[in-house]
Amino acid sequence: MYQYLEEELDQLRTRIIKMGSLVEEQIELAFKSLYEQNLELANIVIERDDKVDKYDVKIDKQCQRIFALTQPVAIDLRLIMSAMNINNDLERMGDIAVNIAERTLNFIGYQDLLERIQLPEMTKKVQAIVKGAIDSFVNNDAQMAAEIIKLDRVIDKAYEDIFERLIHEMTENKNLIKPCSHAITLLRNIERLADHSTNIAEDVIFLVDAKIIKHRKDIDSAEDSPTV
Amino acid sequence: MKLIKIQVENLNLYYGKVHALKNISLGLEPNKVTALMGPSGCGKSTFLRTLNRMNDLIDSCRIEGDIEIDSENIYSKDVDVVALRKKVGMIFQKSNPFPKSIYDNISYGPRINGVTKKSELDEIVEISCVKAALWNEVKDRLNESAIGLSGGQQQRVCIARALAVNPEILLMDEPASALDPIATAKIEELIFELKNSITIIIVTHNLQQAARVSDKCAFFLSGEVVEFNSTRKMFTKPEDERTQRYITGKFG
């Protein structure tokens, strides 16, 4: 029985890591397609989302099976709860990668606009946050996760700055209203990637330290998990 | 300050040369369910039996340290052990009704304690059966043999029998381990009801049962208490690595 649980938990962990790696790659390719105006890459991202969705369903089923058959507690329980949440976030991040890839077409000929509003800089920071969140799960590293959560503030600030720049661009040149409108959606998508990464980091802290820190600004005063 | 019903201080117990319980100190609160868990042979049943001096019946057993119930040392020389066992009732793994009628089983304790009036005994039997969630099943067959009842019903007869002498503490040594899931659920619901008026200490090998029914848990290992904590804490974030390994099945 316990060996069965061990095997299930190992497999669950491995699946989350593989899914995380796939989603990270999807995001990377989506940005590459956007900034290099490469529609072929965009299509690869769109087609591969099916693979992300398959992981999502497999992980959901596996968590359900483990709950039903083994009644996990303590660290095992926290792993499954975290896996369910992380799975959900990764699946959403996969969808966002598809949304970004689908917008590639809208920015053909407008690369200078993206440069002017400094979107590539924000993109790099978000990619680092995505990687850091997934790495914190792979390494069971709550400290690393806590750092990632703090970085989200930087992204929020970048979001506001770029939003202002877009308003400025539209005010200055009415011909840019359409690409700037697309860029606002794109900006929102990129910011959401950081939010989902923060959620993953919060789950890593719950997994490692049994602390629930979501919706809290001060992660150091977070409570221990309160219920069975 | 927390109220303490049973205070155990530096308890050591030896079976001959075997040191079965080592330096145990615990404060058990009134009207709470405390679960004792741990692998076979870790001392949890031995500890349970020290609380109503059942180990006195074993010749080679020697006890050091103090156990106080309501601030009275139960091992002092002037303690009436019969009165102690009336106050601290016990339910065993295997139900052990007397080969008598249901009525006689439950009225046995009050009778030997001097209650003779039929109306009084009737009332005690009914109240005890209601408390043991048994009344509706046996009210029309009180004169039938308790041995003819199902396993779960027999166990509840034993609980009703223990309740008939108004104990303040109930010791339960794996009370549901021989029962099917439905009978087990009834015993667990009963434990939940009884704790309103009684302090319950339960030994169980079933970790999920400990999680479901208890307020506090003590994890025993090789005669020592490794961790004594709230059940919520024990099953979400145990403090000792050995507890974590035990409850997640990685022990050994």
Side-chain angles (χ1 to χ4, degrees):
Chain A
M1 175 68 174
Y2 291 118
Q3 196 189 339
Y4 165 79
L5 175 60
E6 283 284 282
E7 285 168 7
E8 285 276 4
L9 293 176
D10 276 351
Q11 193 183 41
L12 178 64
R13 234 187 118 70
T14 307
R15 274 192 178 141
I16 289 282
I17 292 168
K18 281 185 178 169
M19 184 184 184
S21 160
L22 176 63
V23 169
E24 195 183 331
E25 201 180 301
Q26 285 283 83
I27 292 167
E28 195 186 325
L29 289 183
F31 283 130
K32 215 170 176 187
S33 73
L34 176 71
Y35 291 120
E36 292 177 8
Q37 304 188 7
N38 186 334
L39 290 174
E40 205 178 320
L41 275 184
N43 279 331
I44 291 174
V45 173
I46 293 162
E47 278 168 20
R48 278 210 316 197
D49 188 51
D50 196 34
K51 221 172 160 186
V52 177
D53 291 346
K54 276 184 181 153
Y55 269 116
D56 173 41
V57 174
K58 268 186 186 173
I59 289 167
D60 259 2
K61 279 185 179 172
Q62 188 169 19
C63 291
Q64 188 187 12
R65 187 170 66 234
I66 299 173
F67 273 130
L69 301 183
T70 66
Q71 294 89 41
V73 295
I75 181 78
D76 298 344
L77 175 65
R78 297 204 299 278
L79 173 61
I80 299 162
M81 288 176 69
S82 305
M84 287 174 76
N85 288 338
I86 292 172
N87 180 37
N88 197 32
D89 281 307
L90 288 174
E91 194 275 331
R92 290 293 304 123
M93 289 161 86
D95 287 348
I96 290 172
V98 170
N99 288 344
I100 294 169
E102 282 172 346
R103 285 192 185 278
T104 298
L105 200 59
N106 300 116
F107 291 99
I108 289 178
Y110 290 107
Q111 289 303 304
D112 55 332
L113 171 68
L114 299 181
E115 293 286 342
R116 275 203 308 281
I117 60 170
Q118 297 172 22
L119 198 64
E121 285 86 341
M122 180 182 174
T123 300
K124 272 182 198 151
K125 285 176 190 158
V126 168
Q127 278 185 288
I129 287 179
V130 170
K131 185 178 186 315
I134 294 168
D135 285 353
S136 70
F137 176 78
V138 174
N139 300 318
N140 263 336
D141 190 337
Q143 207 175 342
M144 188 181 199
E147 294 301 320
I148 295 297
I149 292 166
K150 285 177 193 161
L151 284 177
D152 190 44
R153 286 176 210 151
V154 177
I155 301 303
D156 290 344
K157 174 76 173 59
Y159 173 86
E160 283 167 22
D161 292 346
I162 293 173
F163 189 84
E164 285 305 318
R165 283 183 205 119
L166 281 166
I167 299 291
H168 176 74
E169 291 281 343
M170 284 191 276
T171 316
E172 291 289 302
N173 183 354
K174 287 198 168 53
N175 291 330
L176 290 178
I177 289 179
K178 199 173 175 189
C180 283
S181 301
H182 283 302
I184 287 174
T185 313
L186 180 64
L187 175 65
R188 179 78 189 129
N189 277 332
I190 297 173
E191 193 267 338
R192 288 297 295 151
L193 284 177
D195 286 345
H196 286 295
S197 303
T198 305
N199 292 348
I200 291 173
E202 287 169 354
D203 278 309
V204 171
I205 290 175
F206 173 68
L207 169 64
V208 178
D209 291 339
K211 284 180 180 166
I212 296 175
I213 59 154
K214 58 184 173 182
H215 314 306
R216 298 193 66 139
K217 291 199 166 46
D218 177 10
I219 60 172
D220 295 329
S221 63
E223 295 289 326
D224 281 355
S225 165
T227 55
V228 173
Chain B
M1 197 176 136
K2 274 183 194 165
L3 284 174
I4 296 295
K5 183 74 177 172
I6 305 170
Q7 184 68 51
V8 181
E9 286 292 340
N10 299 320
L11 179 72
N12 283 281
L13 183 144
Y14 303 84
Y15 290 127
K17 286 179 181 171
V18 178
H19 195 174
L21 294 177
K22 299 167 190 168
N23 295 320
I24 291 173
S25 296
L26 292 175
L28 307 179
E29 295 166 53
N31 300 101
K32 298 269 189 213
V33 178
T34 302
L36 311 180
M37 55 187 198
S40 296
C42 67
K44 53 194 187 299
S45 290
T46 298
F47 174 74
L48 192 76
R49 289 198 302 267
T50 62
L51 302 178
N52 67 348
R53 292 184 55 172
M54 291 291 277
N55 290 313
D56 286 12
L57 307 170
I58 301 168
D59 287 340
S60 64
C61 179
R62 181 164 61 83
I63 290 173
E64 292 168 0
D66 290 325
I67 298 179
E68 290 184 352
I69 294 180
D70 295 328
S71 304
E72 283 183 35
N73 185 355
I74 63 168
Y75 281 91
S76 75
K77 282 178 186 164
D78 52 352
V79 163
D80 176 353
V81 178
V82 174
L84 171 71
R85 290 179 191 151
K86 189 179 156 210
K87 184 173 178 174
V88 186
M90 193 159 191
I91 305 296
F92 298 89
Q93 181 178 3
K94 192 173 180 312
S95 55
N96 53 356
F98 302 136
K100 291 170 178 284
S101 71
I102 297 164
Y103 186 96
D104 286 346
N105 262 278
I106 298 165
S107 61
Y108 187 85
R111 271 184 180 144
I112 61 168
N113 279 292
V115 180
T116 50
K117 227 170 142 186
K118 174 82 167 67
S119 61
E120 211 176 323
L121 287 170
D122 286 352
E123 195 183 357
I124 291 171
V125 169
E126 180 172 346
I127 289 170
S128 304
C129 284
V130 169
K131 279 188 192 166
L134 187 67
W135 181 244
N136 287 337
E137 292 165 59
V138 300
K139 64 183 176 191
D140 300 324
R141 48 199 285 214
L142 288 170
N143 292 320
E144 289 177 22
S145 170
I147 304 295
L149 296 171
S150 73
Q153 287 170 328
Q154 285 189 26
Q155 191 64 306
R156 278 179 287 141
V157 164
C158 294
I159 293 172
R161 188 175 65 189
L163 296 176
V165 292
N166 288 320
E168 293 174 26
I169 297 165
L170 204 53
L171 310 177
M172 304 179 114
D173 196 351
E174 296 189 60
S177 65
L179 305 180
D180 68 40
I182 293 169
T184 299
K186 280 188 179 168
I187 298 284
E188 289 181 6
E189 279 169 30
L190 181 55
I191 290 170
F192 199 75
E193 288 295 317
L194 288 175
K195 78 169 179 178
N196 291 320
S197 53
I198 297 177
T199 302
I200 296 172
I201 326 291
I202 178 171
V203 165
T204 177
H205 271 124
N206 182 335
L207 295 178
Q208 295 311 317
Q209 184 173 65
R212 284 193 297 267
V213 304
S214 69
D215 302 293
K216 298 199 87 170
C217 276
F219 171 50
F220 282 70
L221 189 63
S222 307
E224 288 178 76
V225 173
V226 168
E227 185 167 345
F228 179 51
N229 221 327
S230 76
T231 302
R232 283 183 171 196
K233 183 95 176 155
M234 203 82 140
F235 282 89
T236 52
K237 196 192 177 197
E239 282 171 9
D240 195 288
E241 179 60 27
R242 290 168 292 177
T243 316
Q244 170 125 304
R245 283 168 58 210
Y246 180 73
I247 63 169
T248 57
K250 298 176 184 75
F251 208 81

